[in-house]
Amino acid sequence: MLNLELYKVFYTVAKCGSLTKASRELYISQPAVSQSIKQLEDRLGVKLFNRNHRGMELSSAGAKLLYKNVADALKLIENAENGITELNNTATGNIRIGATDSIFSHLLADKIVEFNQKYPAVGLELISSTSPRTIEKLKSGNIDIAFVNLPVEDEEVKFIDTVSLLSDVFVAGKKYKDLKDKTIPLKSLREYPVLLIEENTVARKSMREFLKSHGIELNPDIEVANWDFMIKLVAKGMGIGCIPREYCTKELARGELFEVNVSPALPVRGVGIALPAEGQIPFALRQFIKLFGGTAK
């Protein structure tokens, strides 16, 4: 079997012309260098070096030919290593990002633009779905990174960071202005038309479990597939909607919506970054994650 280390020692001794200098460059003892040269000579059946007052000289044309071939081979290996290093430290290729429409719009849009301006050679594929479906896409290898509503428990993915907190609040439009600046029991919302996000979402599951823990059941009059549509319906007086405050800040600031204070208030949720449980993270993806203050190995 080929012992690459013997040829590396041979190359270094020939290049340095000295056992002492070669041992320093290789960070091994001089006897170890001598032993390696002897092993290679025994293996090849030829004498590779002559000792003289100047040090170590290649002994024959054959040894000189061996030196050239070994030098070329080591250079090829070095170039391959450099290529791999460059690949691991160059933002190229594609990143497939999975998230909900709202996470893309409210939390990722600016970061995606920033990353594209910094690394224009990296292709970005944006794949929208609910958080549970996004996790499934991540597990099946159809996306490279997922931004999902928390909490999510799945041992087949790796959660590395929380990028934002979401405060679910009840909001209403001018039609329900009599509720403004009041605090009402959470259960009394059953007396009003209520809009909730669709059933198969993390947000809805989180709310349902919270209500259950307080002995409250709240059935929606209208189920909506996305937050932006719900904002429009609530502003038009269709009812009281439960929406993350972070997703309707503009409407609240303009007075199109106001918060309906309830007791107890809903708990704060998070949006997290999920990656495949196994596998190396490419350089471009690591740089994208850094924009959110996170790190991945």
Side-chain angles (χ1 to χ4, degrees):
M1 181 180 294
L2 178 67
N3 188 333
L4 185 60
E5 284 302 314
L6 295 181
Y7 288 96
K8 185 176 180 182
V9 172
F10 162 74
Y11 168 77
T12 306
V13 172
K15 181 182 68 170
C16 294
S18 165
L19 293 174
T20 302
K21 291 180 181 179
S23 68
R24 290 173 183 168
E25 183 168 325
L26 294 167
Y27 295 98
I28 59 176
S29 67
Q30 184 171 324
V33 173
S34 297
Q35 182 62 29
S36 295
I37 295 300
K38 185 176 184 309
Q39 287 182 34
L40 187 58
E41 288 178 332
D42 292 343
R43 179 183 183 124
L44 298 176
V46 296
K47 184 178 181 181
L48 297 174
F49 291 98
N50 292 320
R51 289 179 178 268
N52 56 41
H53 64 281
R54 289 176 304 210
M56 303 284 286
E57 286 187 349
L58 292 170
S59 61
S60 66
K64 293 176 182 177
L65 176 63
L66 179 66
Y67 173 77
K68 180 181 182 307
N69 288 332
V70 169
D72 291 343
L74 291 175
K75 186 63 177 178
L76 288 173
I77 294 172
E78 181 183 1
N79 290 341
E81 288 183 343
N82 290 339
I84 292 173
T85 300
E86 182 179 354
L87 183 64
N88 288 332
N89 292 279
T90 303
T92 58
N94 296 288
I95 300 177
R96 298 168 299 171
I97 306 168
T100 67
D101 287 336
S102 297
I103 291 176
F104 273 126
S105 298
H106 298 280
L107 302 180
L108 301 187
D110 290 343
K111 297 297 185 183
I112 289 171
V113 172
E114 179 182 350
F115 183 83
N116 178 253
Q117 292 174 344
K118 190 172 183 179
Y119 301 106
V122 179
L124 297 173
E125 185 177 354
L126 311 181
I127 302 171
S128 177
S129 189
T130 64
S131 288
R133 292 172 184 161
T134 297
I135 289 292
E136 291 304 315
K137 291 179 185 294
L138 183 68
K139 289 159 59 175
S140 63
N142 292 319
I143 59 175
D144 304 306
I145 184 172
F147 291 81
V148 296
N149 289 297
L150 302 176
V152 173
E153 296 182 4
D154 197 314
E155 295 181 353
E156 296 182 48
V157 300
K158 176 171 58 178
F159 292 94
I160 64 168
D161 209 353
T162 298
V163 297
S164 179
L165 295 177
L166 297 178
S167 303
D168 290 323
V169 294
F170 288 94
V171 296
K174 295 177 181 178
K175 182 177 179 179
Y176 299 95
K177 61 183 179 181
D178 57 306
L179 296 176
K180 194 173 184 179
D181 300 324
K182 294 181 180 179
T183 298
I184 62 174
L186 180 54
K187 62 182 180 181
S188 68
L189 286 176
R190 291 177 296 190
E191 302 170 10
Y192 299 88
V194 173
L195 289 76
L196 297 180
I197 199 69
E198 63 184 5
E199 185 70 29
N200 61 331
T201 59
V202 173
R204 181 70 177 276
K205 179 181 177 182
S206 178
M207 168 183 273
R208 184 171 59 250
E209 292 179 351
F210 177 75
L211 293 174
K212 184 178 179 180
S213 70
H214 287 81
I216 301 172
E217 185 176 353
L218 189 62
N219 296 315
D221 295 271
I222 301 175
E223 285 190 346
V224 186
N226 65 75
W227 302 113
D228 291 337
F229 187 42
M230 186 187 295
I231 289 171
K232 292 179 180 179
L233 294 180
V234 172
K236 295 292 185 181
M238 292 288 291
I240 298 173
C242 183
I243 303 171
R245 182 187 294 121
E246 293 75 13
Y247 292 171
C248 57
T249 53
K250 294 179 181 179
E251 290 79 9
L252 290 170
R254 292 195 295 257
E256 297 171 11
L257 300 176
F258 67 88
E259 287 189 34
V260 178
N261 299 315
V262 296
S263 179
L266 297 177
V268 174
R269 298 184 292 111
V271 173
I273 299 176
L275 296 172
E278 303 293 337
Q280 186 178 6
I281 310 303
F283 178 78
L285 184 52
R286 296 201 305 269
Q287 296 306 111
F288 183 67
I289 293 170
K290 281 184 180 180
L291 294 180
F292 300 89
T295 57
K297 296 180 180 180

